[in-house]
Amino acid sequence: IDIFLKILDKDGNGSLSFDEVYELSLNSLDRYLNKEDLAIKEKLANAFSKIIFKFCDVDIDSEIKMPIIKEKIILGGEAAEYLEMFCGAS
């Protein structure tokens, strides 16, 4: 989990911004949608990014600290399944 989170953390500050989560969501949706579906993909990525922040109990104007994401994944449940889906683990 730690190695994966370091890869996601583009600026190396130990947390994920909304933009970083949004980019992850866009990339994850590439597996499910065609390039022609860009408008739909952008709307879904925005919605999924907001849900990820909600699951982590972090305001979208803040950043999600890596220990929070790690804890949510380890604890399991709906939040973990969601995070794993967008991390490419499922």
Side-chain angles (χ1 to χ4, degrees):
I1 294 172
D2 291 327
I3 293 170
F4 177 75
L5 293 175
K6 283 185 181 184
I7 292 169
L8 292 179
D9 184 14
K10 300 293 183 194
D11 60 9
N13 70 348
S15 59
L16 294 178
S17 67
F18 185 84
D19 289 341
E20 288 171 314
V21 173
Y22 178 80
E23 283 299 316
L24 171 64
S25 297
L26 277 177
N27 292 336
S28 296
L29 288 167
D30 280 341
R31 294 181 294 196
Y32 307 106
L33 298 170
N34 297 321
K35 293 191 186 293
E36 302 84 42
D37 300 323
L38 180 61
I40 293 169
K41 188 168 72 166
E42 288 174 342
K43 287 180 183 180
L44 285 172
N46 190 346
F48 292 146
S49 298
K50 288 178 181 177
I51 291 170
I52 289 170
F53 270 76
K54 181 179 177 182
F55 279 145
C56 293
D57 299 317
V58 175
D59 186 271
I60 63 170
D61 294 325
S62 300
E63 294 193 344
I64 305 171
K65 302 290 182 197
M66 294 302 181
I68 293 172
I69 296 173
K70 185 176 178 179
E71 175 185 337
K72 296 291 183 181
I73 292 171
I74 291 171
L75 289 175
E78 186 179 16
E81 291 173 9
Y82 217 83
L83 290 165
E84 289 170 5
M85 180 177 78
F86 282 96
C87 295
S90 57

